Amino acid sequence: MPVSPCIIVLIGHMGAGKTTLGRKLAQVLGTKFIDLDAEIEKAAGCSIAEIFSKHGEAHFREGEHKVISRLMKEEACVLATGGGAWMDKRTRDLIRKTPHACTIWLHVPLTTLHARLTHSRAKRPLLREGNLHDTLKHLATKRHPLYAQADIVITFGDETVDEAVKKLTTALESVNPVQKVAVTLPSHHYEVIIGPNLLKKAAFYIRPHLKNKHAIIITDSNVAELHLATARDSFAESEIRLDVICVSPGEESKSFSTYQRVMEDVLALGIERGTTIIALGGGVVGDLAGFVAATAMRGINFIQIPTTLLSQVDSSVGGKTGINTKAGKNLVGAFWQPQIVLADISTLKTLPRRQLIAGYAEILKAGLISDPELFSWCEINGADLLDGNTAILTEAVKRACSFKAQIVCADEREQAHQGGRALLNLGHSFAHALEAEFHYDGRLLHGEAVSIGLHLALSLSVKMGLAQKDDLKRLDSHLKTLAMPSKISELPATLSAKTLLNHMAHDKKMRDGKLSFILLHGIGQAFTCRDVDQTLVRELYLEEGCVD
């Protein structure tokens, strides 16, 4: 059953059975049943037909909206609405923004509706005139695209009441409620919204954050093919001008040349300070689009819709944006926080397992840094997560984002002398060196490099006598169980310890000429260390399979 308390809102045509099924469903769930039409008649002191006759449909819809506004303050109930209630945009938006409301469209074929309504049309103001079939067909053409935006759509035919209610309860059991993580900084606040099918409702979440009626989606060609149509369709009702700029997929798009081309395209679209940049894609798109937003007109609004597990749990939260240079990764960029982040778990279904593994490494990293409970949770649930379990993925993204938000809020710009946001770089000094050696060409994903980097960071900690070998065995065992990369010797090339150390020397985490490492006293006990003998790092590389 859905998380309680919950308002279950039944929508659909007149004659769909909303009142009959709603009353029975409320009994099964042990909650209150409310019939919207009955509430309206009680408030108005007359029948629906009389309201239409005396005051017209517009007056009726206004009263209907007021009654629904009151009912949305209920803790829990089953609410059967009239056939036209969902057509009112204000009412749709009101129900959608109610966190504990779940909408269900009772979809009934027109032939069935015609048979049910033939003898009762005189009581229904909208059906009194004209041919009943033609009227129902006209209403279906107008209403079905909006009904289809419900959280759940169920088609009914000739089921008994008990059979229909069984279909309803079964559908409700599969509902995954939306989760929210607040990111509250000294000068900015935003939310990370997490759950399935958010892209279908992107416009609902995004519109309140638009300063004007112009937004630009920046995406890559792979993501555009999979998800762009869904995102654009969500804006179909709005008057928002939605432009699209597409880049090539892959790390190579985080470059000066792509940044310049995208910026020229953005400016050519006639942007204003109220224009909003929307990043639809993985970490590369998010970093690039965020940097464009941070620098266009010295800063315009930015929204993140991350479509990979890695970007949902890491790069979309915290406001780091930027591009790569020949000297190293992310060396040119800006801190630019988004207005909102939509982490649609459904987009992860299109990812190959390799991409899920890359994202999972960042979740595991969070547990290693300072959340041993999360690490233990990963040991129990990691396999199900990589198998695409929606509930587990939702929980994982929520946990990882909550962890990162806590650290970012305490040290937004990574200025703490010890600990702070720098801890999020656990494994990254090694990972960035490995990525640079593979030229960001896709042979080694960022998350895969982080997976190896986590092993190396804990190995170095053990080598320095800071952590116990049992902790390293525990980490390596978990990585091996899930077939995640952990050793340099597993990579498809022989690497040079000297070259990797040279890459590390160009890392942006250098301080006074010394590389800052994040090391571990144990699982959940990360700390900043700026006194690491480079000879030890070289020895570790050689032990891990590098040549001198």
Side-chain angles (χ1 to χ4, degrees), residues 17-230:
K18 298 186 294 294
T19 299
T20 301
L21 297 183
R23 185 173 284 112
K24 182 68 174 180
L25 178 63
Q27 291 176 359
V28 171
L29 298 179
T31 192
K32 178 167 48 176
F33 171 72
I34 299 176
D35 183 272
L36 179 59
D37 284 352
E39 290 292 311
I40 293 171
E41 291 180 339
K42 186 191 304 182
C46 59
S47 69
I48 300 294
E50 290 173 325
I51 298 173
F52 266 80
S53 176
K54 294 179 181 179
H55 306 288
E57 184 177 0
H59 180 83
F60 170 77
R61 296 301 175 201
E62 183 64 30
E64 182 180 58
H65 177 74
K66 290 179 180 178
V67 172
I68 290 179
S69 297
R70 171 170 57 83
L71 295 177
M72 284 300 101
K73 297 175 183 178
E74 293 279 341
E75 287 191 355
C77 68
V78 175
L79 173 64
T81 66
W86 189 249
M87 297 304 101
D88 187 306
K89 182 180 180 301
R90 294 178 306 158
T91 297
R92 284 198 307 278
D93 289 348
L94 174 66
I95 295 173
R96 284 166 166 170
K97 76 178 182 182
T98 302
H100 56 294
C102 175
T103 52
I104 305 177
W105 175 21
L106 307 188
H107 181 216
V108 178
L110 292 185
T111 52
T112 303
L113 288 176
H114 187 280
R116 291 180 182 179
L117 295 169
T118 297
H119 301 295
S120 63
R121 62 183 303 189
K123 300 177 183 179
R124 303 178 184 273
L126 295 180
L127 300 182
R128 288 177 178 175
E129 305 295 333
N131 179 277
L132 178 59
H133 179 270
D134 291 343
T135 301
L136 289 174
K137 187 175 181 180
H138 172 74
L139 288 173
T141 301
K142 181 180 179 181
R143 293 178 174 182
H144 282 194
L146 297 181
Y147 285 156
Q149 296 178 14
D151 297 310
I152 301 173
V153 177
I154 306 178
T155 299
F156 294 98
D158 298 321
E159 297 92 344
T160 65
V161 171
D162 287 340
E163 289 171 342
V165 170
K166 178 62 177 176
K167 289 179 74 171
L168 283 167
T169 55
T170 300
L172 284 167
E173 287 172 355
S174 66
V175 171
N176 295 286
V178 168
Q179 303 290 332
K180 296 182 179 181
V181 173
V183 182
T184 303
L185 302 161
S187 59
H188 186 58
H189 170 85
Y190 61 96
E191 287 185 323
V192 183
I193 312 295
I194 307 160
N197 300 313
L198 297 182
L199 204 54
K200 294 180 180 179
K201 304 174 184 178
F204 163 70
Y205 291 105
I206 289 173
R207 277 181 299 185
H209 299 281
L210 300 183
K211 290 183 176 181
N212 65 15
K213 294 184 177 181
H214 185 205
I216 301 171
I217 293 178
I218 297 178
T219 187
D220 69 43
S221 55
N222 287 345
V223 174
E225 184 176 350
L226 293 167
H227 304 301
L228 180 59
T230 303

Side-chain angles (χ1 to χ4, degrees), residues 472-483:
L472 180 59
K473 289 179 180 178
R474 185 179 170 189
L475 171 62
D476 286 348
S477 174
H478 184 59
L479 295 175
K480 183 178 180 180
T481 297
L482 298 182

Side-chain angles (χ1 to χ4, degrees), residues 383-396:
D384 287 336
L385 184 153
L386 295 179
D387 285 339
N389 183 296
T390 298
I392 296 297
L393 280 166
T394 301
E395 179 67 16

